[in-house]
Amino acid sequence: MISVLSGGTGTPKLLQGMVELVNPEDITVIVNTVENEYFSGVYVAPDVDTVLYTLAGIINENTWYGVKDDSFITHDRLKEIGCPETLKIGDRDRAMKIQKTLLMKEHPLSDAVNIQRLELGIKSRIIPMSNQKSKITITTHLGEMEFHQFLVENQGKPEVHDISYQKVDPTPGLIEKIENSDMVVIGPSNPITSIGPIISAKGVRKALQKTYVVGVSPIVGNKPVSGPAAKFMQAMGHEVSSLGVADIYKDFMDKFIIDLVDRDHQEEIEKLISDVMITHTIMTNVTDKINLARCILGENV
């Protein structure tokens, strides 16, 4: 059994490769929820929905958010009548969000997600990291901002001074799922705002120390593959490099995979994580995704 810790871009790409090598029923995806919030009256769980849509084969791979070939009639009409949305939500995507919002009136988030997973025909388990609200606060030179205010409204431009988020109780059964896994994979997602909230949930870091953990660096050279990870790592005092990522994960990671361009960091990283593998980590096509998954799984393939 394999558990995967996921944010909303890099790790879902990796999942597309993993399900080609592993029985999807043997994969559990534990997903960041720190960005969850209500928009236009519906509950939006960005990373959870991206994982759902990826494993259902309907993700918009141009944006890694929303449903492919979606329409935006409601979004455009809201703008026309003076109710512009912070997020651009497609019509089919909105229907799923409305359903989740309605389900959550009677069920916790984890149950609502499981109902949607089954309706979409997804065989892998998908577990939100917590059923509790976890608010993230980004302190910038313009003041404190929530995640979407920083990333969408301000396009990620403000200078970041600090990042904080509430520590929450993990979803029931999540700790046991990690401890009973043959392998836990930390995908190439933002280590501060995607993976950080998951490993800070009560008991998760301790559980990771009890199992075999493999991670992939989301930093290649001195830049993140996507997103604002560089600003966030700098704000938290970490070097923007695969070495900086290794330092964040060093107390529980057994094997760390870095890109070919970072081979000069191998010796330093091995002082933190004994098993370091160097390979091509940029995923531009299905072959790249399968090859990276194969490197992670090793003899378990």
Side-chain angles (χ1 to χ4, degrees):
M1 301 296 290
I2 297 171
S3 292
V4 182
L5 274 54
S6 180
T9 303
T11 306
K13 292 180 181 179
L14 176 61
L15 288 170
Q16 290 178 323
M18 291 188 68
V19 296
E20 295 296 323
L21 301 173
V22 178
N23 184 343
E25 294 180 358
D26 292 335
I27 297 174
T28 295
V29 189
I30 299 168
V31 193
N32 171 44
T33 60
V34 79
E35 301 167 25
N36 295 14
E37 190 54 87
Y38 283 89
F39 293 94
S40 301
V42 297
Y43 187 79
V44 177
D47 292 353
V48 170
D49 286 347
T50 293
V51 171
L52 280 168
Y53 299 159
T54 298
L55 293 178
I58 60 173
I59 186 71
N60 180 350
E61 294 194 24
N62 293 322
T63 58
W64 286 95
Y65 178 79
V67 178
K68 64 182 177 183
D69 301 322
D70 210 345
S71 58
F72 294 89
I73 297 171
T74 304
H75 174 81
D76 292 341
R77 183 56 181 157
L78 284 170
K79 185 175 180 180
E80 290 172 1
I81 61 177
C83 297
E85 296 182 299
T86 300
L87 300 180
K88 187 176 182 180
I89 303 174
D91 297 312
R92 293 172 64 199
D93 183 18
R94 190 184 305 274
M96 293 292 295
K97 288 170 168 46
I98 291 173
Q99 183 197 39
K100 191 183 288 90
T101 305
L102 295 173
L103 286 169
M104 288 176 63
K105 292 183 177 181
E106 299 181 2
H107 304 277
L109 174 62
S110 56
D111 287 353
V113 170
N114 195 50
I115 290 169
Q116 292 191 312
R117 169 187 78 89
L118 293 173
E119 289 179 347
L120 289 169
I122 298 169
K123 296 180 180 179
S124 301
R125 287 294 306 275
I126 299 173
I127 304 177
M129 72 181 203
S130 178
N131 286 325
Q132 298 176 337
K133 179 176 175 59
S134 176
K135 180 180 178 181
I136 185 170
T137 301
I138 301 173
T139 304
T140 76
H141 73 286
L142 298 177
E144 291 187 350
M145 299 181 181
E146 294 184 351
F147 188 85
H148 297 286
Q149 184 182 4
F150 170 81
L151 189 64
V152 181
E153 293 181 16
N154 290 275
Q155 301 179 321
K157 293 179 179 179
E159 180 182 341
V160 179
H161 298 308
D162 192 21
I163 298 166
S164 61
Y165 36 78
Q166 297 167 315
K167 291 187 177 180
V168 294
D169 293 325
T171 300
L174 188 150
I175 297 298
E176 292 78 8
K177 178 63 68 174
I178 289 174
E179 292 180 342
N180 293 329
S181 295
D182 298 310
M183 173 188 294
V184 174
V185 177
I186 297 183
S189 295
N190 188 319
I192 305 299
T193 58
S194 292
I195 303 301
I198 303 175
I199 62 178
S200 74
K202 298 172 185 177
V204 170
R205 185 178 289 271
K206 185 177 180 180
L208 290 171
Q209 293 170 347
K210 297 179 180 179
T211 190
Y212 183 73
V213 182
V214 180
V216 181
S217 177
I219 306 294
V220 175
N222 60 357
K223 296 180 180 179
V225 177
S226 64
K231 278 191 173 184
F232 294 162
M233 289 182 69
Q234 287 173 333
M236 300 303 288
H238 300 291
E239 178 182 309
V240 183
S241 67
S242 55
L243 178 60
V245 178
D247 190 52
I248 296 172
Y249 296 151
K250 63 185 178 183
D251 64 314
F252 56 77
M253 187 161 288
D254 299 284
K255 177 180 178 180
F256 193 48
I257 298 175
I258 63 176
D259 195 80
L260 296 167
V261 305
D262 292 321
R263 62 174 69 251
D264 290 344
H265 287 304
Q266 181 177 8
E267 186 173 338
E268 286 299 307
I269 292 175
E270 286 176 341
K271 296 177 182 178
L272 304 175
I273 302 169
S274 60
D275 189 358
V276 178
M277 183 175 187
I278 301 172
T279 190
H280 178 73
T281 63
I282 302 296
M283 295 175 284
T284 58
N285 54 53
V286 174
T287 300
D288 291 340
K289 297 167 186 176
I290 292 174
N291 287 341
L292 182 56
R294 195 178 299 278
C295 290
I296 292 168
L297 298 169
E299 295 180 357
N300 292 283
V301 175

